[in-house]
Amino acid sequence: MSRLSLRGRMALLFVIVVTAVLSLAAVSFDYFCRLHFKQQDAAVLEGKVSALKSILTRGSSLESEMVSDIHQLVDTSFGFAAAILAGDRVVYSHHNLSEELAASLGPRQGERWLLQVGPNRYSGMTERIEGWADGEGGTIHLAMDVTHRTHFFEMIRRWFFYTLIISAALSGALGFVFIRRGLEPISSLSRTSSTITANCLDTRISTESVPSELHELVDNFNAMLERLDQSFLRLSNFSADIAHELRTPLNSMLTQTEVALLKERDGADYKDVLFSTLEELRRMSRMVDDMLFLAKADNGMITPDFEDHDLSAIAASVLEYYEYAADEKEIKLALHSTGSTQVKGDNLMLRRAISNVMSNAVRYGEPGSIVDMRVSNAREWVRLEVSNQGPTIAPDHIDKLFDRFYRIDTARREGNTLNAGLGMAITRSIVEAHEGSIDCHSADGITTFQMKLPIAVG
Protein backbone atom coordinates (compact mmCIF):
# COMPACT_ATOMS: atom_id res chain seq x y z
CA MET A 1 0.00 0.00 0.00
CA SER A 2 1.46 3.33 -1.07
CA ARG A 3 1.90 6.01 1.52
CA LEU A 4 -0.46 8.99 1.55
CA SER A 5 0.84 11.95 -0.45
CA LEU A 6 1.96 15.14 1.23
CA ARG A 7 -1.13 16.95 -0.11
CA GLY A 8 -3.37 14.16 1.21
CA ARG A 9 -1.72 14.19 4.63
CA MET A 10 -2.00 17.97 4.94
CA ALA A 11 -5.65 17.89 3.80
CA LEU A 12 -6.40 15.12 6.33
CA LEU A 13 -4.69 17.10 9.06
CA PHE A 14 -6.74 20.13 8.03
CA VAL A 15 -9.95 18.08 8.32
CA ILE A 16 -8.95 16.78 11.75
CA VAL A 17 -8.14 20.29 13.00
CA VAL A 18 -11.41 21.76 11.65
CA THR A 19 -13.43 18.85 13.10
CA ALA A 20 -11.72 19.19 16.47
CA VAL A 21 -12.28 22.97 16.60
CA LEU A 22 -15.96 22.70 15.57
CA SER A 23 -16.54 19.85 18.02
CA LEU A 24 -14.98 21.87 20.82
CA ALA A 25 -17.14 24.87 19.85
CA ALA A 26 -20.29 22.70 19.80
CA VAL A 27 -19.56 21.11 23.17
CA SER A 28 -18.73 24.50 24.67
CA PHE A 29 -21.92 26.04 23.25
CA ASP A 30 -24.05 23.21 24.62
CA TYR A 31 -22.41 23.37 28.04
CA PHE A 32 -22.65 27.12 28.48
CA CYS A 33 -26.22 27.26 27.15
CA ARG A 34 -27.30 24.58 29.64
CA LEU A 35 -25.42 26.39 32.41
CA HIS A 36 -27.12 29.67 31.49
CA PHE A 37 -30.62 28.16 31.49
CA LYS A 38 -29.90 26.30 34.72
CA GLN A 39 -28.89 29.52 36.46
CA GLN A 40 -31.88 31.32 34.93
CA ASP A 41 -34.26 28.60 36.13
CA ALA A 42 -32.77 28.72 39.61
CA ALA A 43 -33.28 32.48 39.81
CA VAL A 44 -36.90 32.24 38.59
CA LEU A 45 -37.76 29.33 40.90
CA GLU A 46 -36.18 30.94 43.92
CA GLY A 47 -38.05 34.17 43.21
CA LYS A 48 -41.44 32.44 42.92
CA VAL A 49 -40.84 30.21 45.95
CA SER A 50 -39.92 33.26 47.95
CA ALA A 51 -43.14 34.96 46.78
CA LEU A 52 -45.18 31.87 47.70
CA LYS A 53 -43.65 31.82 51.18
CA SER A 54 -44.55 35.47 51.61
CA ILE A 55 -48.18 34.71 50.68
CA LEU A 56 -48.42 31.68 52.97
CA THR A 57 -46.89 33.38 55.98
CA ARG A 58 -49.71 35.94 55.96
CA GLY A 59 -51.84 33.37 57.82
CA SER A 60 -51.64 30.08 59.63
CA SER A 61 -53.82 28.32 57.09
CA LEU A 62 -54.64 28.56 53.44
CA GLU A 63 -57.41 31.08 52.81
CA SER A 64 -59.36 31.86 49.64
CA GLU A 65 -57.64 35.20 49.14
CA MET A 66 -54.26 33.50 49.45
CA VAL A 67 -55.34 30.84 46.90
CA SER A 68 -56.26 33.59 44.44
CA ASP A 69 -52.85 35.23 44.88
CA ILE A 70 -51.11 31.87 44.41
CA HIS A 71 -53.12 31.23 41.20
CA GLN A 72 -52.18 34.64 39.88
CA LEU A 73 -48.50 34.15 40.77
CA VAL A 74 -48.24 30.71 39.14
CA ASP A 75 -50.29 31.58 36.04
CA THR A 76 -48.19 34.61 35.14
CA SER A 77 -45.49 32.30 33.77
CA PHE A 78 -45.98 29.58 31.19
CA GLY A 79 -45.50 25.97 32.19
CA PHE A 80 -45.44 26.38 35.99
CA ALA A 81 -47.22 24.07 38.44
CA ALA A 82 -47.31 24.12 42.22
CA ALA A 83 -48.42 22.00 45.17
CA ILE A 84 -48.63 23.05 48.82
CA LEU A 85 -48.73 20.55 51.67
CA ALA A 86 -49.68 21.09 55.29
CA GLY A 87 -47.95 18.26 57.03
CA ASP A 88 -48.71 15.32 54.73
CA ARG A 89 -51.99 16.76 53.42
CA VAL A 90 -52.20 18.47 50.04
CA VAL A 91 -53.95 21.79 50.65
CA TYR A 92 -53.31 23.30 47.24
CA SER A 93 -52.65 21.77 43.80
CA HIS A 94 -52.37 23.83 40.64
CA HIS A 95 -54.34 22.63 37.62
CA ASN A 96 -51.07 22.23 35.64
CA LEU A 97 -49.83 19.69 38.17
CA SER A 98 -50.42 16.26 36.68
CA GLU A 99 -51.06 13.21 38.80
CA GLU A 100 -47.85 11.59 37.52
CA LEU A 101 -45.81 14.65 38.53
CA ALA A 102 -47.52 14.84 41.92
CA ALA A 103 -46.79 11.16 42.55
CA SER A 104 -43.17 11.62 41.57
CA LEU A 105 -42.51 14.48 43.97
CA GLY A 106 -42.42 12.46 47.18
CA PRO A 107 -40.91 13.86 50.32
CA ARG A 108 -38.38 16.52 49.35
CA GLN A 109 -36.99 19.38 51.34
CA GLY A 110 -34.89 22.44 50.43
CA GLU A 111 -33.50 21.16 47.16
CA ARG A 112 -33.50 21.63 43.41
CA TRP A 113 -34.62 18.69 41.30
CA LEU A 114 -35.06 17.55 37.72
CA LEU A 115 -37.68 14.94 36.82
CA GLN A 116 -38.68 13.12 33.67
CA VAL A 117 -42.39 12.36 33.79
CA GLY A 118 -43.59 10.61 30.67
CA PRO A 119 -42.66 12.71 27.66
CA ASN A 120 -42.27 15.84 29.78
CA ARG A 121 -39.26 17.09 31.70
CA TYR A 122 -39.57 19.31 34.76
CA SER A 123 -37.15 21.48 36.66
CA GLY A 124 -38.32 22.28 40.16
CA MET A 125 -37.66 23.30 43.72
CA THR A 126 -38.98 22.17 47.13
CA GLU A 127 -39.03 24.51 50.12
CA ARG A 128 -40.06 23.73 53.76
CA ILE A 129 -42.04 26.29 55.83
CA GLU A 130 -41.55 25.59 59.54
CA GLY A 131 -44.39 26.34 61.98
CA TRP A 132 -47.05 26.92 59.34
CA ALA A 133 -50.50 25.30 59.43
CA ASP A 134 -50.85 25.36 63.20
CA GLY A 135 -47.42 23.93 63.74
CA GLU A 136 -47.66 21.09 61.25
CA GLY A 137 -45.28 22.80 58.90
CA GLY A 138 -45.75 23.33 55.23
CA THR A 139 -44.02 22.21 52.04
CA ILE A 140 -43.99 24.05 48.72
CA HIS A 141 -43.37 22.09 45.51
CA LEU A 142 -42.85 24.36 42.51
CA ALA A 143 -42.23 22.82 39.05
CA MET A 144 -41.42 24.35 35.69
CA ASP A 145 -41.94 22.48 32.41
CA VAL A 146 -38.66 22.55 30.40
CA THR A 147 -39.64 19.97 27.78
CA HIS A 148 -39.47 22.53 24.98
CA ARG A 149 -35.90 23.36 26.01
CA THR A 150 -34.90 19.70 25.87
CA HIS A 151 -36.28 19.49 22.34
CA PHE A 152 -34.37 22.65 21.49
CA PHE A 153 -31.06 21.15 22.62
CA GLU A 154 -31.73 17.92 20.74
CA MET A 155 -32.40 19.93 17.58
CA ILE A 156 -29.23 21.98 18.12
CA ARG A 157 -27.18 18.79 18.55
CA ARG A 158 -28.54 17.41 15.25
CA TRP A 159 -27.73 20.66 13.47
CA PHE A 160 -24.23 20.63 14.90
CA PHE A 161 -23.74 17.03 13.80
CA TYR A 162 -24.86 17.71 10.22
CA THR A 163 -22.86 20.94 10.13
CA LEU A 164 -19.79 19.12 11.39
CA ILE A 165 -20.00 16.49 8.65
CA ILE A 166 -20.54 19.08 5.90
CA SER A 167 -17.78 21.33 7.26
CA ALA A 168 -15.33 18.44 7.48
CA ALA A 169 -16.06 17.40 3.89
CA LEU A 170 -15.83 20.96 2.56
CA SER A 171 -12.66 21.72 4.54
CA GLY A 172 -11.03 18.55 3.24
CA ALA A 173 -11.92 19.32 -0.39
CA LEU A 174 -11.04 23.02 -0.20
CA GLY A 175 -7.94 22.26 1.85
CA PHE A 176 -6.74 19.76 -0.78
CA VAL A 177 -7.25 22.35 -3.55
CA PHE A 178 -5.55 25.18 -1.67
CA ILE A 179 -2.70 22.96 -0.47
CA ARG A 180 -2.19 21.77 -4.04
CA ARG A 181 -1.92 25.35 -5.19
CA GLY A 182 0.35 26.16 -2.26
CA LEU A 183 2.67 23.26 -3.13
CA GLU A 184 2.81 24.19 -6.81
CA PRO A 185 6.28 25.82 -6.36
CA ILE A 186 7.59 22.46 -5.14
CA SER A 187 6.09 20.74 -8.19
CA SER A 188 7.66 23.39 -10.40
CA LEU A 189 10.97 22.84 -8.63
CA SER A 190 10.65 19.09 -9.26
CA ARG A 191 9.88 19.62 -12.95
CA THR A 192 12.84 21.96 -13.34
CA SER A 193 15.23 19.63 -11.54
CA SER A 194 14.09 16.67 -13.69
CA THR A 195 15.33 18.50 -16.80
CA ILE A 196 18.85 18.94 -15.41
CA THR A 197 21.38 16.51 -16.83
CA ALA A 198 25.13 16.23 -16.89
CA ASN A 199 25.15 18.34 -20.05
CA CYS A 200 23.31 21.30 -18.50
CA LEU A 201 24.50 21.54 -14.92
CA ASP A 202 24.77 25.31 -15.35
CA THR A 203 20.96 25.57 -15.01
CA ARG A 204 19.85 27.46 -11.91
CA ILE A 205 16.42 27.83 -10.32
CA SER A 206 15.26 31.41 -9.76
CA THR A 207 13.91 32.33 -6.31
CA GLU A 208 11.72 35.14 -7.64
CA SER A 209 8.66 32.92 -8.16
CA VAL A 210 9.30 30.77 -5.09
CA PRO A 211 7.78 31.49 -1.63
CA SER A 212 10.18 32.77 0.99
CA GLU A 213 9.86 29.47 2.93
CA LEU A 214 11.49 27.65 0.00
CA HIS A 215 14.30 30.13 -0.63
CA GLU A 216 16.73 28.20 1.56
CA LEU A 217 15.85 24.93 -0.21
CA VAL A 218 16.32 26.53 -3.65
CA ASP A 219 19.58 28.18 -2.61
CA ASN A 220 20.91 24.88 -1.28
CA PHE A 221 19.79 23.11 -4.46
CA ASN A 222 21.52 25.72 -6.62
CA ALA A 223 24.64 25.43 -4.48
CA MET A 224 24.56 21.65 -4.97
CA LEU A 225 24.29 22.16 -8.74
CA GLU A 226 27.24 24.54 -8.59
CA ARG A 227 29.32 21.95 -6.76
CA LEU A 228 28.28 19.23 -9.21
CA ASP A 229 29.07 21.52 -12.14
CA GLN A 230 32.51 22.25 -10.75
CA SER A 231 33.10 18.56 -10.00
CA PHE A 232 32.10 17.50 -13.51
CA LEU A 233 34.26 20.26 -14.96
CA ARG A 234 37.24 19.17 -12.88
CA LEU A 235 36.61 15.54 -13.82
CA SER A 236 36.41 16.44 -17.49
CA ASN A 237 39.57 18.54 -17.30
CA PHE A 238 41.25 15.84 -15.26
CA SER A 239 40.48 13.22 -17.91
CA ALA A 240 41.73 15.53 -20.65
CA ASP A 241 44.89 16.29 -18.70
CA ILE A 242 45.55 12.60 -18.03
CA ALA A 243 45.16 11.87 -21.73
CA HIS A 244 47.52 14.71 -22.62
CA GLU A 245 50.13 13.83 -20.01
CA LEU A 246 50.16 10.18 -21.03
CA ARG A 247 50.04 10.91 -24.75
CA THR A 248 53.23 12.97 -24.71
CA PRO A 249 55.58 10.29 -23.31
CA LEU A 250 53.82 7.56 -25.29
CA ASN A 251 54.26 9.50 -28.55
CA SER A 252 57.88 10.13 -27.63
CA MET A 253 58.50 6.42 -27.03
CA LEU A 254 56.64 5.42 -30.21
CA THR A 255 58.62 7.91 -32.31
CA GLN A 256 61.97 6.87 -30.90
CA THR A 257 61.16 3.18 -31.35
CA GLU A 258 59.96 3.66 -34.92
CA VAL A 259 63.07 5.68 -35.81
CA ALA A 260 65.29 3.07 -34.21
CA LEU A 261 63.65 0.34 -36.28
CA LEU A 262 63.99 2.15 -39.63
CA LYS A 263 67.47 0.78 -40.15
CA GLU A 264 70.11 -1.35 -38.54
CA ARG A 265 71.97 0.46 -35.73
CA ASP A 266 74.77 -0.42 -33.39
CA GLY A 267 74.27 -1.37 -29.76
CA ALA A 268 75.02 2.14 -28.40
CA ASP A 269 72.11 3.67 -30.39
CA TYR A 270 69.69 1.03 -29.17
CA LYS A 271 70.94 1.59 -25.63
CA ASP A 272 70.24 5.35 -25.92
CA VAL A 273 66.72 4.61 -27.12
CA LEU A 274 66.15 2.24 -24.20
CA PHE A 275 67.46 4.80 -21.68
CA SER A 276 65.16 7.47 -23.14
CA THR A 277 62.22 5.08 -23.00
CA LEU A 278 63.09 4.17 -19.40
CA GLU A 279 63.11 7.85 -18.44
CA GLU A 280 59.64 8.36 -19.90
CA LEU A 281 58.37 5.19 -18.20
CA ARG A 282 59.70 6.40 -14.85
CA ARG A 283 57.94 9.74 -15.35
CA MET A 284 54.71 7.93 -16.19
CA SER A 285 55.12 5.69 -13.16
CA ARG A 286 55.60 8.68 -10.85
CA MET A 287 52.57 10.40 -12.36
CA VAL A 288 50.43 7.27 -11.87
CA ASP A 289 51.65 7.00 -8.26
CA ASP A 290 50.72 10.65 -7.70
CA MET A 291 47.27 10.10 -9.22
CA LEU A 292 46.70 7.06 -7.00
CA PHE A 293 47.73 9.11 -3.97
CA LEU A 294 45.20 11.82 -4.86
CA ALA A 295 42.49 9.23 -5.49
CA LYS A 296 43.07 7.78 -2.02
CA ALA A 297 43.03 11.26 -0.53
CA ASP A 298 39.68 12.01 -2.20
CA ASN A 299 38.18 8.86 -0.68
CA GLY A 300 39.60 9.45 2.79
CA MET A 301 42.03 6.53 2.53
CA ILE A 302 45.10 8.57 3.48
CA THR A 303 45.89 7.78 7.11
CA PRO A 304 48.98 9.60 8.35
CA ASP A 305 51.13 7.91 10.98
CA PHE A 306 50.74 10.59 13.66
CA GLU A 307 53.88 11.08 15.72
CA ASP A 308 55.49 14.09 17.39
CA HIS A 309 57.87 15.87 15.01
CA ASP A 310 59.67 19.18 14.99
CA LEU A 311 58.48 20.95 11.83
CA SER A 312 61.59 23.14 11.89
CA ALA A 313 63.82 20.06 11.70
CA ILE A 314 61.85 18.65 8.77
CA ALA A 315 62.02 22.03 7.01
CA ALA A 316 65.80 22.18 7.58
CA SER A 317 66.34 18.76 6.01
CA VAL A 318 64.22 19.73 2.97
CA LEU A 319 66.18 22.98 2.66
CA GLU A 320 69.43 21.07 2.70
CA TYR A 321 68.17 18.77 -0.08
CA TYR A 322 67.45 21.73 -2.38
CA GLU A 323 70.72 23.54 -1.81
CA TYR A 324 72.29 22.05 -4.95
CA ALA A 325 69.37 23.03 -7.18
CA ALA A 326 69.37 26.53 -5.64
CA ASP A 327 73.12 26.93 -6.20
CA GLU A 328 72.66 26.25 -9.91
CA LYS A 329 70.38 29.32 -10.11
CA GLU A 330 72.49 31.28 -7.60
CA ILE A 331 69.54 31.36 -5.21
CA LYS A 332 70.17 31.57 -1.47
CA LEU A 333 68.06 29.56 0.97
CA ALA A 334 67.24 30.90 4.45
CA LEU A 335 65.40 29.29 7.39
CA HIS A 336 64.01 31.16 10.41
CA SER A 337 62.35 29.35 13.31
CA THR A 338 60.68 30.85 16.40
CA GLY A 339 58.81 29.27 19.31
CA SER A 340 57.70 25.69 19.74
CA THR A 341 57.16 24.05 16.34
CA GLN A 342 56.18 20.55 17.47
CA VAL A 343 53.39 18.97 15.40
CA LYS A 344 51.74 15.57 15.25
CA GLY A 345 51.98 14.08 11.81
CA ASP A 346 53.55 11.69 9.34
CA ASN A 347 57.21 12.54 8.79
CA LEU A 348 57.37 11.35 5.17
CA MET A 349 54.11 13.07 4.16
CA LEU A 350 55.09 16.37 5.78
CA ARG A 351 58.49 16.20 4.10
CA ARG A 352 56.83 15.57 0.74
CA ALA A 353 54.42 18.51 1.20
CA ILE A 354 57.21 20.94 2.14
CA SER A 355 59.38 19.59 -0.67
CA ASN A 356 56.68 20.31 -3.26
CA VAL A 357 56.36 23.90 -2.09
CA MET A 358 60.17 24.32 -1.96
CA SER A 359 60.54 22.83 -5.44
CA ASN A 360 58.20 25.45 -6.90
CA ALA A 361 59.93 28.25 -4.96
CA VAL A 362 63.36 27.31 -6.39
CA ARG A 363 62.04 26.58 -9.89
CA TYR A 364 60.27 29.93 -10.28
CA GLY A 365 62.61 32.03 -8.13
CA GLU A 366 64.66 34.75 -9.83
CA PRO A 367 68.38 34.02 -10.16
CA GLY A 368 70.36 35.68 -7.40
CA SER A 369 67.29 36.04 -5.12
CA ILE A 370 66.55 34.55 -1.70
CA VAL A 371 64.02 31.83 -0.88
CA ASP A 372 62.97 32.49 2.69
CA MET A 373 61.39 29.77 4.86
CA ARG A 374 59.87 30.74 8.23
CA VAL A 375 58.51 28.32 10.85
CA SER A 376 56.70 29.92 13.81
CA ASN A 377 54.25 29.25 16.60
CA ALA A 378 50.78 30.82 16.19
CA ARG A 379 48.91 29.78 19.36
CA GLU A 380 47.12 26.55 18.41
CA TRP A 381 48.94 26.28 15.09
CA VAL A 382 52.42 25.89 13.71
CA ARG A 383 52.82 28.09 10.67
CA LEU A 384 55.31 27.42 7.84
CA GLU A 385 55.81 30.11 5.19
CA VAL A 386 57.90 29.83 2.03
CA SER A 387 58.54 33.08 0.11
CA ASN A 388 60.39 33.63 -3.14
CA GLN A 389 60.99 36.48 -5.54
CA GLY A 390 59.62 35.87 -9.00
CA PRO A 391 56.69 36.50 -11.31
CA THR A 392 53.56 37.71 -9.51
CA ILE A 393 50.71 35.21 -9.72
CA ALA A 394 47.46 36.76 -10.95
CA PRO A 395 44.48 36.54 -8.56
CA ASP A 396 42.48 34.38 -11.00
CA HIS A 397 45.28 31.79 -10.88
CA ILE A 398 45.61 31.74 -7.06
CA ASP A 399 42.44 29.69 -6.48
CA LYS A 400 43.44 27.15 -9.12
CA LEU A 401 47.02 26.54 -7.98
CA PHE A 402 45.98 23.50 -5.97
CA ASP A 403 43.97 21.90 -8.80
CA ARG A 404 45.32 18.79 -10.47
CA PHE A 405 47.42 19.28 -13.60
CA TYR A 406 47.06 23.05 -13.30
CA ARG A 407 50.04 25.09 -14.38
CA ILE A 408 50.17 28.83 -14.83
CA ASP A 409 52.40 28.75 -17.89
CA THR A 410 50.48 28.45 -21.16
CA ALA A 411 52.69 25.66 -22.44
CA ARG A 412 51.41 22.24 -21.54
CA ARG A 413 54.89 21.18 -20.48
CA GLU A 414 57.91 23.25 -19.75
CA GLY A 415 61.49 22.14 -20.29
CA ASN A 416 61.46 19.93 -17.22
CA THR A 417 59.53 16.81 -18.21
CA LEU A 418 59.08 15.85 -14.56
CA ASN A 419 56.59 18.65 -13.92
CA ALA A 420 53.07 17.22 -14.32
CA GLY A 421 51.16 19.81 -12.27
CA LEU A 422 50.22 17.44 -9.43
CA GLY A 423 52.59 18.63 -6.73
CA MET A 424 50.44 21.35 -5.15
CA ALA A 425 47.32 19.15 -5.29
CA ILE A 426 49.24 16.48 -3.38
CA THR A 427 50.48 19.09 -0.91
CA ARG A 428 46.96 20.27 -0.16
CA SER A 429 45.75 16.67 0.31
CA ILE A 430 48.56 15.99 2.80
CA VAL A 431 47.93 19.19 4.75
CA GLU A 432 44.18 18.54 4.92
CA ALA A 433 44.83 14.95 6.03
CA HIS A 434 46.71 16.53 8.97
CA GLU A 435 43.66 18.80 9.67
CA GLY A 436 45.58 21.85 8.51
CA SER A 437 45.27 24.42 5.72
CA ILE A 438 47.39 25.92 2.97
CA ASP A 439 47.00 29.10 0.95
CA CYS A 440 48.98 31.37 -1.33
CA HIS A 441 49.52 35.12 -1.55
CA SER A 442 51.33 36.88 -4.38
CA ALA A 443 51.96 40.61 -4.80
CA ASP A 444 54.76 42.91 -5.93
CA GLY A 445 56.94 40.06 -7.15
CA ILE A 446 56.81 38.17 -3.82
CA THR A 447 54.93 34.87 -3.67
CA THR A 448 54.30 33.26 -0.28
CA PHE A 449 52.83 29.85 0.44
CA GLN A 450 51.54 29.51 4.01
CA MET A 451 50.95 26.12 5.62
CA LYS A 452 49.19 25.81 9.01
CA LEU A 453 49.24 22.59 11.04
CA PRO A 454 47.79 21.90 14.53
CA ILE A 455 50.39 22.19 17.26
CA ALA A 456 51.22 19.01 19.20
CA VAL A 457 49.48 18.97 22.59
CA GLY A 458 50.96 17.16 25.58
Side-chain angles (χ1 to χ4, degrees), residues 349-363:
M349 287 188 182
L350 293 176
R351 187 182 300 273
R352 184 176 186 181
I354 298 173
S355 179
N356 288 339
V357 176
M358 196 65 190
S359 174
N360 282 344
V362 173
R363 180 182 298 116

Side-chain angles (χ1 to χ4, degrees), residues 171-182:
S171 63
L174 293 176
F176 187 85
V177 173
F178 292 144
I179 291 169
R180 184 175 183 178
R181 292 186 61 182

Side-chain angles (χ1 to χ4, degrees), residues 343-411:
V343 296
K344 278 190 176 295
D346 190 295
N347 184 24
L348 294 179
M349 287 188 182
L350 293 176
R351 187 182 300 273
R352 184 176 186 181
I354 298 173
S355 179
N356 288 339
V357 176
M358 196 65 190
S359 174
N360 282 344
V362 173
R363 180 182 298 116
Y364 297 106
E366 293 182 354
S369 63
I370 298 177
V371 173
D372 191 18
M373 183 182 292
R374 297 179 179 272
V375 186
S376 59
N377 183 296
R379 294 185 180 179
E380 299 178 355
W381 303 92
V382 174
R383 182 169 54 203
L384 184 143
E385 297 177 328
V386 178
S387 302
N388 74 316
Q389 300 175 22
T392 301
I393 303 175
D396 56 333
H397 290 298
I398 293 290
D399 295 335
K400 302 177 182 178
L401 284 177
F402 301 98
D403 291 347
R404 300 169 185 179
F405 295 112
Y406 185 79
R407 283 165 292 186
I408 298 175
D409 53 328
T410 55

Side-chain angles (χ1 to χ4, degrees), residues 31-45:
Y31 172 77
F32 286 111
C33 279
R34 290 178 182 275
L35 180 63
H36 168 72
F37 286 122
K38 181 179 180 181
Q39 293 173 346
Q40 190 179 56
D41 292 346
V44 172
L45 288 170

